Structures are given as structure tokens and as C-alpha cells.
Amino acid sequence: MAFSGHLRWWILGAAMVAMLCTGAGAIDIFMEWHVAFDATAMPLTLDQPVITINGMFPGPLINATTNDFVHVNVYNDLDEPLLFTWNGIQQRLNSWQDGVSGTNCPILPGTNWTYVFQTKDQIGTFFYFPSINFQKAAGGYGAIRVNNRVVISVPFPKPEAEYDLLIGDWYYDSYKFIRSTMRNPLVAYPGVPDTILMNGKGPYGHPLSISHESFNVTKGKIYRFRISNVGNAFSLNFRIQNHSMMIVETEGSYTNQIIVDSLDVHVGQSYSVLVTANQDEADYYMVATPKMFRVHDSSSLVGVGVLHYSNSLTQVGGPLPAGPDPFNWGFTMNQARSIRWNLTAGAARPNPQGTFNVSNVTLAETFVLQNSVEEIEGSARYVVNNVSYYTLNTPLKLADYFLNGSGIYQLNAFPTRSVNRDAACGVSVVSGIHKGWLEIVFKNNLDAMDSWHLDGFGFYVVGFGLGNWDEGARAGYNLHNPVVRSTTQVYPGGWTAVYVFLDNPGMWNLRSQHLMNWYLGEELHIRVHDPDPNPAKEQPPPDNLLLCGIFGESGAPTGSPPPAPAPAPAPWSWW
Ligand SMILES: *[C@@H]1O[C@H](CO)[C@@H](O)[C@H](O)[C@H]1NC(C)=O
Ligand SMILES: *[C@@H]1O[C@H](CO)[C@@H](O)[C@H](O)[C@H]1NC(C)=O
Ligand SMILES: *[C@@H]1O[C@H](CO)[C@@H](O)[C@H](O)[C@H]1NC(C)=O
Ligand SMILES: *[C@@H]1O[C@H](CO)[C@@H](O)[C@H](O)[C@H]1NC(C)=O
Ligand SMILES: *[C@@H]1O[C@H](CO)[C@@H](O)[C@H](O)[C@H]1NC(C)=O
Ligand SMILES: *[C@@H]1O[C@H](CO)[C@@H](O)[C@H](O)[C@H]1NC(C)=O
Ligand SMILES: *[C@@H]1O[C@H](CO)[C@@H](O)[C@H](O)[C@H]1NC(C)=O
Ligand SMILES: *[C@@H]1O[C@H](CO)[C@@H](O)[C@H](O)[C@H]1NC(C)=O
Ligand SMILES: *[C@@H]1O[C@H](CO)[C@@H](O)[C@H](O)[C@H]1NC(C)=O
């Protein structure tokens, strides 16, 4: 006893020293990722390779703390170009590391490239994924945690353990096949996803599953689950048999702590929930089912995992826990509206989050963005205000840096408050007023869920509604404690309003998180320009900047503007 007591004291002492050292400042985290398309970690007994990182699917956890520097050296062992984006990591003053087609040249097959980014002033739950070529449908995603610095208290007791839980829909078809079907006139891939994976594993008990996901808990303890919807198309309702969940965080904001029996997680969103293991020592189902789509318990479209109590001798059994009706608007809207910012909690900084509230802001700009599907040059394309984003092979950020954008894109040609009479492709880049408040109203004209994401910022989600939006809707906004997050859902036939404070200069991607919508053009970029050349205002390009497009692969920019983009859509172009 005495010895173990002494030993424990020594270990605690060592841990304290380590905490004091690392707590004092940000650290550098180095990762080497070998990215392959292979059969090492298949979720199902289908002959279906997946995108793995170091042989893993999902890829490795990035476990950082506020202000750390993360270095990820990516070796592209795929047979096509690759980029990773860090969903929700704001890349402060540094859109060079954002990893989307508008900011970065792709990492070519057989080469490597090192991202270096800082988790500046952030905390929370996020994930990364491959951003081009429809590759996300093949995996390549993984969890990101940004932990609080030790000097800043977290607004709930330290859980016994934290678990990452990536849930998402999955196609039995290969991503390359799905991509190829989108060349066809007027038929974007017609299929719905086939199943729901949990951490890259098939549903418990499903004949195609090689294994299922399971989490160990001890009775009486509290666990933090960091849940992200990494899928392509389905919003998911998540629940655990006989257990409620306390929502505590979403995409970097501490929320008012509310207790729910089930949680809607839309494509691209992340949440932390606390689960208390307060039931009999047994095994319990964890379930994720699609919203806006009806399934039976035995459907392959029900993701099923297991919550396993350490002394349990009882296997899961009985019916799966029932969730809300997937078409129940009342449930879904009420829950969405009840997820609010905790104004008194500190987050990355000691100041309470509420210090940064929007109750008194003056709007500098308003965008009203409507999605739909239109035929353009004989192909089905997703459009925003009747413009379908045309991906150039010269990143906009490079064009901006070397040529002030000239000749590559026409700033503000995109209609931010109206819908063009005719659908067409375009390189949509709009100016955001530096340090201005932007209101964006997303209108969803489709009969499916949508979700929108902006890189570089958080959205203050001030309102949801059904039907049309007009300025009168502002009277119903929640300006008191809107939650701040990077991805917001937009209900079919409805609208979502957000505020954004454009204090982060750069070229920022605004996109549908639904993979097909994005791939087929539901995207634009917001250029936030600070005319002050002081490099402290926006970082210069990194030393390892890749060049491509009109800037070639090896030297300085040629300076010659490219031919105007062809009007025909090219959804099958490599990226
Ligand atoms: C993540 O980092 C935190 C803070 O350094 C540490 O306490 C924790 O054990 C790490 N978790 C994992 C899974 O590496
Ligand atoms: C590629 O990896 C090597 C180490 O193997 C590293 O020295 C080099 O900086 C990497 N290249 C880029 C462009 O990041
Ligand atoms: C969970 O518990 C089971 C047995 O109860 C054990 O076999 C397994 O290794 C545990 N898993 C982890 C991750 O601790
Ligand atoms: C879950 O709770 C119900 C009553 O609400 C009970 O009948 C059932 O046995 C419980 N399931 C488990 C696995 O404990
Ligand atoms: C907000 O956070 C504080 C800690 O700053 C916590 O004590 C309080 O319970 C939280 N409020 C709600 C409504 O969750
Ligand atoms: C919002 O912030 C202002 C100034 O920062 C403060 O005076 C006001 O009380 C805050 N409002 C709320 C609802 O916290
Ligand atoms: C709030 O707005 C009023 C005018 O509407 C202004 O006088 C006041 O300074 C603002 N307060 C803050 C904290 O911005
Ligand atoms: C760069 O572009 C911006 C916006 O298009 C314009 O206001 C500015 O004058 C341009 N600067 C130069 C040096 O051409
Ligand atoms: C968008 O363009 C199509 C033709 O390409 C047209 O039929 C449609 O009415 C336009 N949408 C709106 C809202 O004007």
C-alpha cells in the first residue's frame, strides 16, 4: 500500500510537471500519413477497397490543444490527386492550409506535401476528410479533437474517457463508379446510400458486417462521445438504448447543457454528448437512422453499435430503440432551436463566450443563397442562385496572391441576393467586407435536407424557418444566444439564417456538405480582403507552396491569364 501510494504520488508529480510544461504554450504535433486505396480496413464483406490512412479507416485521431501547431505530411499513394480539408478548423489568417480546390493545388499521386496549421483560439470537436474527386465517399476521414488548455476550465466534470464516434452513410458502389455516373446527362447518381457505418464498421448483426463498433463503459462513470456525421447525404438521428445524452458542445462552442433521448446530426456536423453509465450492467444498442427517410429495424440503413458495460454478461437484444418519426418536423425544429450557446462558459479563452454576442451588431451585407438542381448544357447540376460552381485548375487563392485575381475570376459577378434567370456555370467569388458582419440566408428549394459549411469562420445560427424568408423574418431571430458552429442544416423547403463576423482575411470556401451537391456545383468562395500589406494581417504562402494551373508546376507564375473558363460543366474533371 505504502509503495503504491508513493508510486502514485510520483506519477502524479511527473504528470503535473508535464502539464505545467505543455500548459505553458502551444506544442508542435507531427504526423506522417500514407494515404492509400486498398483492402486493409474494409467495413463490409464486399470486395470494396477504401481510402485508408496508414492502413486505418477511419484515419488517425488528431488530438490537439488550443493553439497547437499540427504538421501533417501527407503521402499520396492513390492513383489520383488528393487534398485534405480540416472541417471546422478556422485556419486563422492562413487559408493557404485549408485544403480545398479554391485554396490549394492538389497533392499529386506519388508525391507528399506537409500541411502546417494552428488550432488558434479554438476548442471542440471536428473531423477531416478528402475534399476533391468525390473521395470522401470512399473514406479517408478521421476525428479531430481540440482540447482546452489546462488553464481554462471546461464547463462540466472531466469524463472517465472520451470516445470519437464517426457516423455516416456509405455506398456499396465504388466512389469512382458513382463519380463516373455523373457524366451522364441529366442523371446524377440515382442511388441512395446503402448502409450506415460507425467508425468505419458495419451495423451490428448485419450479414455483410465484418465487425461492429463497441464502446466499453463502467457502471456509474460518465463518458464523452464526440460524434460527427462524416457521411454523404443523410442527416442521422443518433440514440443509445435506455440512456439519455447531455449535449455539451458543438463544433467548438459549449452549449447550454440539455438532455435528449436522441440527437439529430446533419451531414458535416459534430457534437459532444455526455453519457452516464447509470443502467444495469448489460449491453445496449447505439443506433443511427436516416432523417427524412423511413427504414425498418432490419434495414441495412440502420447503423448499429454496442455500448458494453464492463461486467455485462448480457448481449444486446430486443427491438432497437425507437427514435422520433423521421418526418416529424416538430421534433427536429424544436431540438435545433434548443441548441444554444452557453454565454457564461469560457471556451478557447477565459472570456465567457457571451462576450462575443450578436445582440447589437450592424449588418454590413446580406446574401440570400438558394439551391436547386438545373440542367446546364445537358447535365444535371446543383446551382446556387442559378450558378453552378465551376472548379478551375488554378486555385483562386494563388490567382489572388500572384495576380490579384485578374483574369481568373470575376469578383462579384455572382448574384448574392437574386437568382439568375438562366442557369449557368461560373467561378463564383464574392467579396466579404473585412471586419463586417455578414448575414447569410440559405434557402433550400430541394425536397431533401441540405447543410452548408463555411471555412474560416463560425456561423451564429440565428434562425430556422419553413417556407419563404423575407426581412420580416428577422424579428424572430434569436440574437441572444445563438450557437456558433461551422455547419448548419437547412430543412427542405425552408431557410436558415446565420451571422458571420468576417475578421479572417483569406479565400474561404462556402459549400454544401452533401457530397453530390458539392461535387456538382453547390459551392462558392468568399474573398475577405485586408488591403493592409502587413504580413501579420494575413500570412504569406508557405515555403512548400505548390503551383499548378496557369502557374505551372515548377517555377514562377507565367503571368499570362488563362483562357476564359469553358461554359460547359466539367463535373468529371479530376478535381
Ligand atoms: C489527447 O491529448 C490530451 C491533452 O494532451 C491528453 O490528455 C489525452 O490523453 C490525449 N488523448 C489521446 C486519445 O491521445
Ligand atoms: C516530403 O516528405 C519529406 C520527408 O520524408 C519532407 O522532408 C518534405 O518536406 C516533404 N515535402 C513536402 C512538400 O512537404
Ligand atoms: C472492452 O471489454 C472487452 C471485454 O469486456 C474486452 O475484450 C475489450 O478489449 C475491451 N475493449 C477496450 C477498448 O478496452
Ligand atoms: C430498458 O428499459 C426498459 C424499461 O424502460 C426495460 O424494460 C428494459 O429491460 C431495459 N433494457 C435493458 C437492456 O436494460
Ligand atoms: C454554462 O456553463 C457554466 C460554466 O461556465 C455551467 O456552470 C452552467 O451549468 C452552464 N449552463 C447551462 C445552461 O448549461
Ligand atoms: C452582449 O455583449 C455586450 C457587450 O459586449 C454586453 O453589453 C451585453 O450584455 C451582451 N448581451 C448578452 C445577452 O450577453
Ligand atoms: C449597441 O448599439 C447602440 C446603438 O444601437 C450603440 O450606441 C452601442 O454603442 C452598442 N453597444 C455595443 C456594446 O456595441
Ligand atoms: C486588387 O483587387 C481588388 C478587388 O478586386 C481591387 O480593389 C484592388 O484595387 C486590386 N489591387 C491591385 C493592386 O490591382
Ligand atoms: C434558373 O434557370 C432556369 C433555366 O436554366 C430557369 O428555368 C429557372 O426559372 C431559373 N430559376 C429562377 C428561380 O429564376
Side-chain angles (χ1 to χ4, degrees), residues 368-377 379-390 413-428 443 445-446 452 520-524 567:
V368 181
L369 306 179
Q370 308 199 30
N371 66 0
S372 59
V373 178
E374 299 290 345
E375 176 187 343
I376 301 176
E377 306 266 321
S379 293
R381 296 281 300 184
Y382 281 79
V383 295
V384 184
N385 294 352
N386 248 347
V387 183
S388 187
Y389 186 77
Y390 179 92
F414 177 87
T416 53
R417 292 204 66 163
S418 59
V419 180
N420 283 353
R421 259 205 10 223
D422 294 307
C425 288
V427 183
S428 309
K443 285 197 60 189
N445 293 332
L446 302 170
W452 276 90
L520 291 179
E522 193 178 330
E523 171 178 5
L524 52 153

Side-chain angles (χ1 to χ4, degrees), residues 258-281:
I258 56 168
I259 294 178
V260 296
D261 290 328
S262 75
L263 174 63
D264 285 351
V265 190
H266 302 278
V267 178
Q269 294 187 331
S270 302
Y271 283 95
S272 292
V273 299
L274 300 183
V275 177
T276 305
N278 56 5
Q279 298 296 302
D280 292 344
E281 291 179 308

Side-chain angles (χ1 to χ4, degrees), residues 164-282:
D164 305 295
L165 176 52
L166 306 180
I167 55 179
D169 55 36
W170 186 257
Y171 297 102
Y172 293 163
D173 281 329
S174 134
Y175 81 102
K176 290 185 178 178
F177 170 75
I178 299 174
R179 199 170 65 187
S180 72
T181 66
M182 292 189 229
R183 297 178 196 189
N184 296 338
L186 296 183
V187 268
Y189 181 69
V192 293
D194 297 288
T195 190
I196 310 290
L197 303 185
M198 290 187 172
N199 284 344
K201 293 173 179 162
Y204 173 90
H206 193 269
L208 288 179
S209 297
I210 291 171
S211 63
H212 63 269
E213 187 55 329
S214 175
F215 298 96
N216 284 356
V217 298
T218 302
K219 188 173 166 77
K221 307 283 190 194
I222 300 177
Y223 296 84
R224 179 176 184 171
F225 285 87
R226 293 175 180 259
I227 306 167
S228 297
N229 184 334
V230 295
N232 307 293
F234 277 131
S235 295
L236 297 172
N237 179 266
F238 176 77
R239 50 200 185 267
I240 306 174
Q241 185 181 22
N242 289 32
H243 290 76
S244 56
M245 300 176 275
M246 183 192 275
I247 303 174
V248 293
E249 182 259 336
T250 184
E251 295 158 34
S253 289
Y254 288 120
T255 60
N256 277 346
Q257 297 169 6
I258 56 168
I259 294 178
V260 296
D261 290 328
S262 75
L263 174 63
D264 285 351
V265 190
H266 302 278
V267 178
Q269 294 187 331
S270 302
Y271 283 95
S272 292
V273 299
L274 300 183
V275 177
T276 305
N278 56 5
Q279 298 296 302
D280 292 344
E281 291 179 308

Side-chain angles (χ1 to χ4, degrees), residues 156 237 407 476 484 553:
F156 46 85
N237 179 266
V484 180
E553 274 171 34

